[in-house]
Amino acid sequence: MAGVSSESLAAALAALEAKLPSASLQLATELFGILGTVDSSAGLRRALTDPSRNGDEKSALVKQLFSGKVSADAVEITAGLASSRWASARDVGDALETLAASVVIAVAENKSAVSASGLTGLEALENDLFSFNQVVESSHEVQRALSEPQASPAAKVSLAEKLVPGASEEAKVLIGQAVTAPRGLKVTKLVGRFAELAAKRQQRWIATVSVTRPLTEAQTSRLQAGLNALYGRELKINMNVDPALIGGIRIQVGDEVVDASVLTRLGELHRQLAG
C-alpha cells in the first residue's frame, strides 16, 4: 500500500489509537465481519473507493449498511475509512484488516499493562503466531487441509486451534481470521503479517537509548523515571554506547526519535549553512 492509500491508513491508525485502551475482541470480530461483507461485494468496494463521491456520501453509505448490526465504534471506524481516499478498491479492505488486527493486538497489550510487565501479553501473542506458522510450514498435509476449498470454516478453525494448544484468545482470533479469510494469501503469510504488526506494537514498550559513554546507576534511574512519566507506561531500556555521537543522547521509542546528540546538531548547522 502506497501513496494516498498509505496516508489514509496512517490517519485511520492514528484515530484508532484513542479507542485502543478500552478495545475488546468483540470490536475486532465486528470489523473482521464488516471486512467479509466488503470483500464479498465488488460493487460495495467500488462505492466505498469511488473518487467521484465525496467522503460524507461514502460515510453515510457505511452507516446505512451497518448501523444497528454492529457496535457504534465499528461503524465509526469503518465510516472513517470510507470517507478517506484510496488508490484501489483492494486497499480499503487491506486497511480494515489492519485496523481489526490492531484492535486484537491492543487487547493483548492491555493485558500486559495490567500486569505492569509491559511485554508479556504481546510476546505471548507473537509467540503463538510464530508457533502456528512453524507447525503449518512443517507439514504439507496441514497446508492442504487449511487450503481445502471444500472444508468448512469451522473445521479449519478447529484444526488450527489444535495446532497451537494453549494459545491466547487474541491469537485464536487472528489465526481463525487467517484460516477462514486469507484474502488470496497463504495462511502463513497472513499470520506473519499479523505477527509483524504485533512486533511493531511491542516496540512502543522499548526505549533504545544511545549515549557516548555508560550512564551511572543514578543517571539510568532518572532516565527511566523520566521516560516512564513521559510515555505513561513502564518502558524497557536498551542502552547502547556509541562514541560516534560525540555527546548528548539519542532515544528511540517505536517510530519516535528524540535526538539531542552533538553529531545531530552539527549536521543541522551544516544544513543551515549550506542553505
Side-chain angles (χ1 to χ4, degrees), residues 200 203-204 206 231 250-258:
K200 184 175 182 180
Q203 294 304 309
R204 298 174 68 252
I206 301 173
Y231 287 94
R250 183 181 187 276
I251 302 170
Q252 180 167 355
V253 179
D255 293 331
E256 185 175 344
V257 177
V258 178

Side-chain angles (χ1 to χ4, degrees), residues 15 17 19 31 55 120 133 168 200 245:
E17 198 66 37
K19 298 183 183 296
L31 292 174
T120 303
N133 272 1
S168 67
K200 184 175 182 180
L245 290 176

Side-chain angles (χ1 to χ4, degrees), residues 184-219:
L185 299 177
K186 289 178 58 177
V187 169
T188 51
K189 178 69 173 178
L190 183 52
V191 171
R193 284 188 180 179
F194 292 153
E196 289 172 2
L197 288 173
K200 184 175 182 180
R201 189 75 182 177
Q202 185 172 301
Q203 294 304 309
R204 298 174 68 252
W205 293 88
I206 301 173
T208 300
V209 179
S210 298
V211 292
T212 55
R213 59 180 181 273
L215 300 183
T216 66
E217 185 174 337
Q219 288 172 326

Side-chain angles (χ1 to χ4, degrees), residues 1 5-10 12-13 16 31-32 35 39 77-78 80-82 84-86 88-102 183 193 197:
M1 191 181 297
S5 291
S6 180
E7 294 172 2
S8 294
L9 174 58
L13 286 169
L16 180 67
L31 292 174
F32 279 134
L35 172 61
D39 278 346
I77 291 167
T78 308
L81 285 180
S84 300
R85 297 174 58 217
W86 303 95
S88 73
R90 166 83 189 197
D91 286 351
V92 71
D94 289 347
L96 188 53
E97 182 180 70
T98 297
L99 294 183
S102 296
R183 305 182 67 242
R193 284 188 180 179
L197 288 173

Side-chain angles (χ1 to χ4, degrees), residues 145-146 148 150-162 179-180:
L146 291 177
E148 172 55 57
Q150 301 303 317
S152 69
K156 291 181 180 181
V157 169
S158 178
L159 171 60
E161 292 186 355
K162 291 177 181 177
V179 299
T180 58

Side-chain angles (χ1 to χ4, degrees), residues 88-121:
S88 73
R90 166 83 189 197
D91 286 351
V92 71
D94 289 347
L96 188 53
E97 182 180 70
T98 297
L99 294 183
S102 296
V103 171
V104 177
I105 292 164
V107 173
E109 179 183 42
N110 293 342
K111 286 184 177 180
S112 300
V114 170
S115 66
S117 57
L119 297 177
T120 303

